Every structure is written in C-alpha cells, then in structure tokens.
Amino acid sequence: MTATHRRSTLEEIRRRDPGVQRIRVTLRDLDAAVRAGTELGLAELLEALDGRPLAKRPAEAARTLATRHKALRPAEESALYENAEWYRAWLNAVSRDGASPARWWRIFGGDTARATVVR
C-alpha cells in the first residue's frame, strides 16, 4: 500500500469517525479484506506487487541455527577444543555471537576442516 493509499484510507475512516488517528487491523482480517477485493491473499498480493517472494523468517532462523551448529560441531570435536582452555574460551565467546559461526561457514564455503584448522 502506498502512502497515498494509506492517507486516502485514513481520510475515509475519519469521515466516518472524525476522532480516528490510527486503525488496528489483525493480519487475518486484512488478509480476508484483501482476498475479498482482489481474489488474492495478502501474501500473494505483496509478492505480486514486489515481484519477490516474502521472506520466511521462521524457516530462515531455523536454517541459520542449523548452519551455526554445523559450523561449530567440528570445532567442538577438535583436539584443540579438548586440550586448550584458551580455544574453548574463545569458541564459547564467539558462539555467543550468533552470526560468527555462520559467517565462518559462508567464508569457508562449507569446508569445516579448513574453517577449524588452527596452526
């Protein structure tokens, strides 16, 4: 919805109730209204307008977490992790920074052996 559409919608609502400054609509109600007017659901309409699929944030978060675990596993199973306190402390510190292991994974293209080698 463009700014012009938002303004005109709010102006229409204000004509009916002059004190209205904001409206609150559930996504379910908005989806139903869009579907009634366009025969498309809200998600389909937004994708059609933008030309790109909507982000699937729960799925993206799950993939990021899985990638993070996959990147950390070899580091945690390494002899260095078993034998060097500094390495365990360092790995634990960077693993609290949720993006770091995933960044390693991207940087090393999934080559966990290369990503975890410390010489």
Side-chain angles (χ1 to χ4, degrees):
M1 181 179 273
T2 67
T4 303
H5 288 120
R6 282 192 298 275
R7 275 193 298 277
S8 65
T9 301
L10 192 53
E11 287 170 8
E12 178 63 29
I13 292 168
R14 284 184 184 148
R15 274 194 279 278
R16 295 178 191 176
D17 185 353
V20 171
Q21 294 297 314
R22 282 186 184 179
I23 59 171
R24 183 175 289 206
V25 179
T26 67
L27 285 175
R28 183 177 304 157
D29 291 345
L30 182 57
D31 182 66
V34 168
R35 192 173 301 281
T38 65
E39 298 181 8
L40 294 172
L42 179 60
E44 293 90 1
L45 178 64
L46 292 173
E47 288 175 347
L49 291 172
D50 190 48
R52 297 178 297 167
L54 291 176
K56 309 284 193 261
R57 290 193 177 154
E60 288 173 2
R63 276 193 307 274
T64 298
L65 187 59
T67 299
R68 184 170 179 264
H69 287 303
K70 191 173 183 179
L72 282 173
R73 190 174 308 116
E76 292 170 340
E77 293 171 353
S78 74
L80 195 55
Y81 188 82
E82 292 293 322
N83 300 316
E85 175 58 36
W86 69 266
Y87 182 75
R88 283 192 301 278
W90 172 78
L91 189 60
N92 291 333
V94 297
S95 69
R96 285 190 294 271
D97 170 15
S100 291
R103 245 191 328 267
W104 298 343
W105 190 254
R106 285 191 301 275
I107 289 168
F108 291 105
D111 183 354
T112 56
R114 212 173 100 217
T116 59
V117 169
V118 177
R119 296 182 195 247

